[in-house]
Amino acid sequence: MLRLPKIPSSEITPPELFYNRRRFLKTMAAAVGGLALAACAGPTAAPTPAPATTGAGPTGKTDELGDPLTDREAILNYNNYFEFSTNKQAVARLAADFPTSPWQVQVGGLVNKPRVFDLDDLRRFGLEERIYRLRCVEAWSMVIPWLGFPLRKLLETVEPTSQARYVRFEAVYDPDRMPGQRNTWYEWPYVEGLRLDEAMHDLTILAMGLYGEPLAPQNGAPVRLVVPWKYGFKSIKAIVKIDLVAEQPSSLWMIAAPHEYGFYANVNPDVPHPRWSQRTERRIGELGRRETLPFNGYAEQVAHLYAGMDLRKYY
Ligand code: MTE
């Protein structure tokens, strides 16, 4: 039996690097235990520790569990945004000049009133602060004060028809400005999906800001999804298109690594990722690890959405 060492979550390798490296190791006939595990080290040889600031943000605010906000600098400088880079600490720099205004979000599909929203239209839904935990599938987490509005408000405006059962989200495609989109391992643009009742749930928001400021490009400006009870990859950034559809949509991650990422992706400490445990997580800015909570601590609000479903299944 192979025993997995504890892998710093900042070094978890994206599937394309992991599997390319595996292929490489195979051809080298060097897939001995230790070496194969070394393939789990990140794309850069040097470890990339996350900012290790501690304590409450300057606001002294906490989430509803009493946990302090993650430091703003950490939220702005430790990002997953594969359109730019798989190196979390390079994203902010690479995304800095990405134009995020003007912007349009086209909403259509199975709706009575398809419509194109510009940023003013979106802001008119009214931005409110929502302090949510973000739990990445890589087993790190943050507490983020988002500014956003319930997605439900937008969906009600376009009037989904009775055939609409799912919502499909598409991010911007701009390979000239987004170097990561030249990586052909992934099927661009980044796509995600929710069941309609998940999308209509009050916790599900479209965020346009954080820490009281408009979103920075690296956090998904000008508008991104936030679904706090699901792994962070569901919270798609830089949305340009939202479609109501009848069939369950495929996501970029389901296509890239179907045995690793399912449609629902609800945070679940009992279901390990095929390459690591999901029992605990590293809260950015803290030493040590925390227990991961079912549905990321939002079970009371959302568990009923999955009544009768086998939550151990990936779907
Ligand atoms: N959205 C797009 N378009 N591209 C991405 O690579 N990464 C996801 C999600 N949304 C991603 C995305 C992942 S894996 C996580 S954990 C969160 O964004 C990270 O959001 P943050 O950088 O604002 O913390």
Side-chain angles (χ1 to χ4, degrees), residues 19-138:
Y19 292 109
N20 280 341
R21 193 89 78 89
R22 274 228 312 220
R23 267 176 232 150
F24 172 74
L25 286 175
K26 241 181 170 172
T27 60
M28 296 277 291
V32 275
L35 253 184
L37 289 170
C40 293
T44 48
T48 52
T53 47
T54 48
T59 61
K61 286 184 184 171
T62 66
D63 67 7
E64 82 286 5
L65 303 179
D67 292 326
L69 303 186
T70 299
D71 200 81
R72 182 174 171 275
E73 287 306 303
I75 299 171
L76 293 179
N77 290 292
Y78 191 73
N79 303 103
N80 270 338
Y81 202 165
F82 279 44
E83 284 89 335
F84 289 101
S85 174
T86 54
N87 176 351
K88 297 183 199 347
Q89 286 162 320
V91 169
R93 180 177 52 80
L94 291 168
D97 297 328
F98 187 73
T100 57
S101 176
W103 193 270
Q104 290 189 326
V105 181
Q106 190 188 320
V107 186
L110 301 171
V111 299
N112 292 324
K113 297 183 173 167
R115 188 175 152 191
V116 176
F117 294 84
D118 66 22
L119 294 179
D120 282 337
D121 297 328
L122 295 177
R123 284 186 207 105
R124 271 194 281 276
F125 286 112
L127 301 184
E128 54 185 283
E129 186 170 78
R130 295 280 185 107
I131 298 176
Y132 286 161
R133 293 169 291 286
L134 176 89
R135 178 21 169 112
C136 180
V137 74
E138 297 165 333

